[in-house]
């Protein structure tokens, strides 16, 4: 017999429910705070009234930064009880006392395992799993996924082979020599680690299938084909043989989990090659999609594709936020997915149906040979985009007449339209840029208000496609072809590199490296450079010969293998990822160049938007804060605060979450290009951020800095 619920009892139950929900946000045991990727904490010891008193509580130096600016730390630490787990610039994993920063143990995967390829690159975090006395840290470095004893940092020998599994195995296709890694941690459901991967996204790319690993043994328990196999849903959206040769469509940017429903949510990236899809005609499911899978089996429950047949590298850049919103008088569990284009797609968590209408709008078609772009793209009607969508002459920088005149001349040489203007040989403005809009730092969601906080870049880039003319040639020509197809995208057609992207110049290479050292780097990869093991010895020899002949730059049109094996059938390369700067190195668009945004998901409205970051030299000239490019996301707290680093000025700030006002800021030892974390130890609240620098041409660092109120 059921007891009737009295008003008093109902009130107590509501309080208990709120307390239970509040308690769920008091720890930081999962990447980005919790399984919902909320980036929220209910801790409020640090608040609006006292944040100005914050001071450094401890600093930990990992000791392995590359002083030439070639390393970063993008890690969001986790804290289990009183132990903090994180990774270093060169991907050592370590455990620290969370209240003091004292080191407990450290594990170096590259010293312990000489078979690891493609390292070190970056790592954005680790995963914790425990069952009784068995407590594990799972993380990836290069091509390997490791399981470590959480207490000692030693590999668990019963996991895979001696504590590791190779991420290149079990993709239902031969990917020998191709780049497969995992830079963002997976997510645990019961005894499964559900894991996405990072891929090269060039002409030769592995498929981005999603796999669930047994956390005890490392055995693959299920796989979901993001490029469908025959008989699977979505197969008809690709050419018939695409599953055998096309790559990409990978979930590199993070996962979210609704454990109660048993659903895992995955954002996927573009299919490869990024900028020409004539060999993969169709919508290309499940690239550029939010996927909801049964976490126990990998079965698709629903999907929503945010870009059809992507040719602009519009990867979904961050884990989706699992939110609860008020719509039409009802509370609805939903999925909020930020994008590089600056849109927020708000979808029903059960069905994938949009909560605000989404329109399929016509977009320009491509004039590249063999390309068939999709005629429409989905555009949310609400919320409005949190980054500007067009770059016209009216949007040119106005920080000085000279800067405006210089960028106007360049703008008139290239194409500039909306966010779906396709690639061209003339050159196309990409705005929002390749790094967004939104990016991998993610968005923070406040469950108390239904507001979403997201930082955005406002940087135009220029993409220029290069025809690859089919002709036979000698060794020098073959090396130039290989460079244009596989290397120019990062190091530039002129081999001068890109300091903002940490891609070094290859001019005068012989003065810095031997031919043997370069050949080894091509084969094994190094830092942010993937392995090119799939090239034959003869091809590596031709590429090395080209790199060590510094007479002239790579030609605009280069000869290619008529069989097309170098470039998987694409008749185009490109000149690299090039930001559009004025002559003084500032963005070609009017400020703000970086923003922090508050979005009310209940009403679908932007509440406030403020510049994020500043250039001190411009402020000294009397300009208001312009914002800067920014990498790494925000954390929002019940204390009324948003904590974020991310900016090129190497500052760490606390904003008022209601107004966007800056309440506190400090200078870090290097740029804080990572999402911070906040946690409590013995009643004291801490906020910690990795200060690894190394992006946007800034210095590299090796520090984790924790802040707290004075004792």
């Amino acid at each position: 017999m059921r007891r009737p619920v009295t008003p008093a009892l109902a009130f107590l139950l509501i309080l208990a429910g709120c307390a239970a929900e509040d308690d769920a946000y008091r720890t930081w045991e999962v990447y980005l705070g919790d399984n919902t990727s909320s980036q929220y904490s209910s801790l409020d010891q640090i608040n609006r009234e006292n944040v100005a008193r914050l001071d450094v509580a401890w600093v930990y130096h990992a000791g392995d930064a590359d002083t030439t600016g070639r390393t970063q730390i993008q890690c969001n630490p986790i804290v289990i009880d009183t132990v903090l787990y994180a990774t270093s610039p060169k991907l050592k994993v370590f455990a620290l006392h969370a209240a003091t920063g004292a080191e407990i143990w450290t594990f170096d995967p590259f010293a312990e395992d000489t078979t690891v390829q493609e390292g070190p690159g970056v790592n954005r975090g680790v995963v914790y799993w425990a069952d009784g006395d068995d407590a594990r840290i799972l993380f990836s470095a290069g091509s390997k996924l490791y399981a470590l004893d959480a207490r000692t940092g030693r590999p668990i020998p019963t996991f895979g082979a001696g504590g590791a599994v190779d991420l290149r195995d079990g993709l239902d296709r031969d990917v020998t020599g191709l780049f497969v890694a995992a830079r963002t941690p997976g997510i645990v459901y019961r005894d499964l680690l559900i894991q996405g991967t990072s891929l090269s996204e060039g002409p030769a790319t592995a498929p981005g299938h999603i796999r669930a690993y047994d956390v005890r043994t490392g055995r693959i328990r299920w796989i979901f084909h993001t490029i469908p196999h025959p008989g699977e849903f979505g197969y008809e959206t690709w050419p018939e043989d695409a599953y055998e040769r096309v790559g990409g469509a990978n979930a590199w940017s993070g996962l979210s989990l609704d454990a109660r429903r048993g659903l895992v949510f995955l954002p996927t990236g573009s299919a490869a090659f990024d900028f020409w899809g004539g060999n993969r005609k169709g919508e290309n499911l499940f690239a550029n999609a939010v996927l909801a899978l049964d976490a126990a089996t990998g079965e698709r429950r629903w999907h929503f594709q945010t870009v059809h047949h992507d040719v602009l590298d519009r990867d979904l850049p961050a884990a989706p936020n699992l939110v609860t919103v008020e719509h039409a008088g009802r509370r609805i569990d939903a999925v909020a997915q930020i994008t590089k284009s600056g849109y927020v797609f708000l979808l029903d968590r059960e069905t994938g149906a949009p909560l605000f209408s989404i329109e399929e709008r016509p977009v320009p078609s491509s004039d590249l040979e063999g390309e068939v772009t999709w005629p429409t793209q989905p555009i949310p009607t609400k919320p409005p985009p949190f980054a500007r969508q067009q770059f016209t002459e009216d949007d040119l920088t106005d920080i000085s007449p000279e800067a405006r005149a210089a960028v106007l001349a360049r703008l008139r040489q290239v194409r500039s339209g909306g966010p779906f203007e396709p690639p061209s040989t003339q050159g196309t403005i990409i705005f929002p840029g390749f790094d967004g809009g939104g990016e991998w730092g993610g968005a923070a969601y406040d469950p108390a208000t239904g507001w979403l906080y997201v930082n955005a870049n406002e940087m135009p880039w220029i993409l220029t496609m290069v025809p690859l003319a089919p002709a036979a040639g000698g060794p020098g020509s073959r090396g130039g072809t290989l460079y244009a197809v596989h290397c120019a995208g990062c190091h530039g057609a002129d081999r001068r590199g890109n300091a903002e992207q940490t891609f070094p110049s290859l001019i005068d290479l012989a003065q810095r490296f031997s031919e043997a050292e370069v050949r080894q780097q091509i084969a094994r990869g190094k830092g942010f450079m993937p392995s090119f093991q799939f090239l034959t010895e003869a091809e590596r020899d031709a590429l090395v010969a080209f790199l060590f002949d510094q007479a002239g730059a790579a030609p605009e049109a280069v000869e290619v293998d008529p069989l097309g094996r170098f470039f998987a059938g694409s008749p185009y390369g490109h000149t690299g990822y090039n930001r559009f700067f004025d002559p003084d190195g500032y963005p070609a668009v009017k400020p703000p160049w970086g923003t922090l945004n508050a979005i009310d998901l209940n009403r679908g409205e932007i509440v406030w938007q403020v510049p994020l970051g500043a250039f001190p030299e411009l402020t000294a000239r009397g300009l208001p804060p312009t914002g800067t490019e920014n990498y790494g996301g925000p954390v929002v707290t019940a204390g009324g605060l948003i904590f974020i680093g991310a900016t090129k000025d190497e500052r760490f700030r606390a904003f008022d979450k209601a107004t966007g006002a800056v309440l506190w800021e400090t200078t870090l030892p290097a740029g804080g290009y990572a999402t911070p974390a906040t946690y409590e130890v013995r009643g004291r609240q801490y906020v910690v951020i990795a200060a690894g620098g190394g992006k946007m041409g800034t210095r590299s660092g090796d520090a984790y800095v924790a802040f707290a109120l004075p004792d």
Side-chain angles (χ1 to χ4, degrees):
M1 184 175 179
R2 297 181 61 187
R3 291 182 57 191
V5 179
T6 66
L9 179 58
F11 179 69
L12 291 174
L13 290 173
I14 291 170
L15 286 180
C18 291
E21 181 176 318
D22 206 47
D23 286 344
Y25 296 107
R26 294 190 69 82
T27 62
W28 208 272
E29 297 181 347
V30 180
Y31 176 68
L32 303 184
D34 54 57
N35 285 334
T36 71
S37 303
S38 70
Q39 299 175 211
Y40 171 79
S41 173
S42 61
L43 298 176
D44 61 0
Q45 183 182 92
I46 304 169
N47 53 54
R48 293 184 181 97
E49 286 68 38
N50 60 26
V51 67
R53 297 171 51 215
L54 272 188
D55 202 357
V56 174
W58 56 260
V59 179
Y60 173 78
H61 289 282
D64 59 354
D66 185 334
T67 56
T68 63
R70 299 282 185 259
T71 57
Q72 304 172 24
I73 311 175
Q74 297 181 3
C75 180
N76 174 244
I78 62 172
V79 178
I80 310 298
D81 295 326
T82 61
V83 181
L84 180 146
Y85 298 94
T87 57
S88 76
K90 293 189 176 177
L91 307 199
K92 292 185 294 187
V93 181
F94 54 79
L96 308 178
H97 287 289
T100 66
E103 185 178 288
I104 300 170
W105 57 255
T106 184
F107 172 80
D108 184 345
F110 302 101
E112 299 279 345
D113 185 350
T114 59
T115 67
V116 180
Q117 301 289 311
E118 302 99 24
V122 295
N123 171 283
R124 298 191 179 101
V126 303
V127 174
Y128 176 82
W129 175 86
D131 182 18
D133 292 334
D134 186 358
R136 304 184 177 200
I137 293 294
L138 299 115
F139 86 104
S140 299
S143 58
K144 295 294 185 71
L145 170 65
Y146 292 89
L148 307 179
D149 186 310
R151 297 173 182 82
T152 66
R154 301 305 305 161
I156 296 174
T158 54
F159 182 87
V165 296
D166 196 318
L167 292 165
R168 295 169 295 188
D169 295 337
L171 283 169
D172 294 343
R173 192 170 105 191
D174 183 8
V175 297
T176 302
L178 299 181
F179 173 72
V180 181
R183 291 172 172 168
T184 306
I187 204 160
V188 166
Y189 177 69
R190 298 177 180 169
D191 61 348
L192 296 177
L193 174 69
I194 305 169
Q195 183 68 60
T197 52
S198 293
L199 309 171
S200 65
E201 299 187 12
T205 301
H209 304 325
I210 314 302
R211 289 164 292 179
Y213 293 88
D214 187 306
V215 296
R216 293 183 176 87
T217 67
R219 181 174 62 87
I220 295 174
R221 297 258 292 272
W222 60 253
I223 183 170
F224 178 86
H225 298 131
T226 58
I227 302 173
H229 285 210
E232 295 177 341
F233 187 96
Y235 177 72
E236 72 284 353
T237 67
W238 302 80
E240 286 188 359
D241 62 345
Y243 75 101
E244 297 178 329
R245 57 176 175 80
V246 176
N250 52 312
W252 63 267
S253 58
L255 293 70
S256 301
L257 176 72
D258 184 331
R260 183 175 65 84
R261 289 180 170 90
L263 291 178
V264 61
F265 300 89
L266 307 103
T268 61
S270 57
F273 163 50
D274 278 340
F275 308 122
W276 185 86
N279 63 344
R280 51 174 173 87
K281 294 175 183 177
E283 284 181 289
N284 301 157
L285 291 177
F286 293 97
N288 306 89
V290 180
L291 275 166
L293 305 182
D294 186 305
T297 66
E299 179 183 359
R300 183 187 68 91
R301 292 287 188 86
W302 58 260
H303 73 276
F304 188 94
Q305 190 174 46
T306 60
V307 180
H308 312 309
H309 187 83
D310 185 16
V311 292
L312 292 167
D313 192 26
R314 286 313 199 199
D315 296 354
L316 290 179
N321 300 90
L322 304 189
V323 303
T324 301
V325 296
E326 295 278 353
H327 274 242
R330 295 190 303 124
R331 287 179 63 80
I332 301 174
D333 290 342
V335 177
Q337 178 66 62
I338 66 167
T339 68
K340 287 183 179 179
S341 296
Y343 305 135
V344 178
F345 288 85
L346 191 62
L347 310 170
D348 186 288
R349 203 182 305 176
E350 290 274 8
T351 66
L355 298 190
F356 296 112
S357 63
I358 295 174
E359 299 176 351
E360 286 284 343
R361 296 179 185 171
V363 294
S365 58
S366 173
D367 60 3
L368 294 182
E369 176 188 345
E371 180 62 271
V372 181
T373 46
W374 202 257
T376 63
Q377 294 294 347
I379 309 295
T381 57
K382 281 189 172 185
F386 56 84
R388 287 171 283 183
Q389 297 295 292
Q390 290 193 326
F391 182 46
T392 68
E393 292 187 9
D394 291 338
D395 302 302
L396 289 173
T397 180
D398 55 3
I399 63 170
S400 73
E402 295 78 14
R404 182 178 177 83
V407 297
L408 175 61
R410 179 67 177 124
L411 179 65
R412 289 176 173 173
Q413 297 172 343
V414 299
R415 297 181 184 178
S416 183
F420 292 101
E421 186 72 31
S424 65
T425 56
Q426 179 182 347
T428 297
I429 296 290
I430 309 298
F431 187 72
F434 287 124
D435 289 348
E439 41 86 12
W440 52 260
Y445 170 71
D446 188 339
T449 61
W451 289 13
L452 189 76
Y453 300 92
V454 58
N455 49 308
N457 290 309
E458 299 263 0
M459 168 67 76
W461 301 52
I462 299 177
L463 172 68
T464 305
M465 303 301 286
V466 177
L468 301 172
S477 172
R478 288 196 295 272
T481 297
L482 289 162
Y483 180 87
V485 172
H486 298 295
C487 311
C490 293
H491 297 284
D494 58 4
R495 291 181 276 181
R496 296 190 180 278
N498 185 329
E500 293 83 12
Q501 293 293 99
T502 71
F503 303 135
S505 170
L506 301 181
I507 301 296
D508 299 325
L509 197 62
Q511 298 179 17
R512 290 173 282 143
F513 300 100
S514 68
E515 291 189 16
E517 288 172 327
V518 172
R519 188 175 285 103
Q520 183 182 49
Q521 287 188 28
I522 292 171
R524 292 180 57 87
K526 183 177 182 181
F528 292 90
M529 174 181 163
S531 162
F532 290 90
Q533 275 189 323
F534 60 87
L535 296 178
T536 67
E537 286 292 336
E539 289 163 355
R540 293 177 207 167
D541 289 344
L543 182 55
V544 169
F546 172 79
L547 291 172
F548 278 79
D549 176 12
Q550 296 297 322
E556 290 190 1
V558 296
E559 299 173 349
V560 302
D561 179 352
L563 297 177
R565 184 175 58 81
F566 290 157
F567 49 88
S570 170
Y572 296 94
H574 65 101
T575 59
Y577 298 88
N578 299 300
R579 290 169 170 85
F580 188 7
F581 288 125
D582 73 11
D584 294 321
Y586 301 111
V589 69
K590 285 180 182 176
W593 300 324
T595 62
L596 182 62
N597 305 268
I599 303 171
D600 185 338
L601 295 180
N602 301 310
R603 297 181 298 164
E605 298 175 359
I606 294 178
V607 184
W608 53 256
Q609 181 182 77
V610 296
L612 178 60
F615 288 90
E617 68 276 17
L618 296 182
T619 305
R621 283 167 42 183
L623 274 70
T626 59
T628 76
E629 275 192 283
N630 48 89
Y631 296 89
V635 164
V636 61
T637 76
L641 302 171
I642 302 165
F643 288 100
I644 187 167
T647 53
K648 189 174 182 177
D649 57 15
E650 302 178 333
R651 304 285 283 174
F652 188 39
R653 295 177 170 90
F655 291 80
D656 186 314
K657 72 179 184 181
T659 67
V662 177
L663 302 179
W664 170 84
E665 60 183 307
T666 189
T667 300
L668 295 169
Y673 308 138
T675 300
T678 186
Y679 59 92
E680 184 180 61
V681 177
R682 299 185 186 93
R684 190 183 191 194
Q685 183 182 355
Y686 298 80
V687 181
V688 64
I689 188 168
K695 289 191 74 70
M696 301 177 282
T698 61
R699 57 187 172 171
S700 289
D702 69 344
Y704 282 79
V705 185
F707 299 88
L709 296 173
D711 285 331

